[in-house]
Amino acid sequence: MTNIQAKIEILFEFDKKLNQLLDDEEHELFLQQQNLFGDQVKDCLNSYSEEDLLTVIESLKRLKVMVKELQNRADQCTKQLKEKSLTLQRNKKKIKAYK
């Protein structure tokens, strides 16, 4: 396994960790880790030549799909949290109105 392949495998594991954070509803930790993940992806892409990256193109394509799915999940969770927050705010206002 080459150095670039090892880095990509680490990114795959990181993606799994981020998905687990979403499953566990650890949203704040997810946001922090998501930024770190983005930095690691950029570092991986910038650290190697185009020729090196071409040797692992299939893994990079797979990583791209995984990241897209993760982003979709994160967007969906964000939408659900916003809706839940609005509902709670409305309920709080109703309770105050009854008092």
Side-chain angles (χ1 to χ4, degrees), residues 8-84:
I8 291 173
E9 286 302 317
I10 290 169
L11 293 173
F12 285 137
E13 290 301 316
F14 208 141
D15 181 82
K16 288 179 187 177
K17 180 180 175 184
L18 289 170
N19 274 295
Q20 186 61 46
L21 289 173
L22 284 179
D23 290 342
D24 296 341
E25 296 183 0
E26 296 283 345
H27 303 292
E28 288 182 39
L29 186 55
F30 173 82
L31 287 175
Q32 295 168 357
Q33 295 297 310
Q34 179 186 24
N35 292 332
L36 182 60
F37 179 68
D39 292 342
Q40 287 187 0
V41 170
K42 287 176 190 174
D43 179 61
C44 180
L45 295 175
N46 293 330
S47 295
Y48 297 98
S49 68
E50 190 174 320
E51 294 80 25
D52 290 337
L53 293 172
L54 286 173
T55 63
V56 291
I57 194 72
E58 290 305 316
S59 294
L60 290 173
K61 286 179 182 178
R62 198 172 91 205
L63 181 63
K64 180 181 176 181
V65 169
M66 291 173 72
V67 168
K68 183 86 167 163
E69 290 172 359
L70 179 64
Q71 185 62 50
N72 288 339
R73 276 194 73 202
D75 290 344
Q76 194 66 17
C77 286
T78 300
K79 184 178 176 182
Q80 289 173 349
L81 286 173
K82 284 181 181 179
E83 289 172 3
K84 188 175 182 179

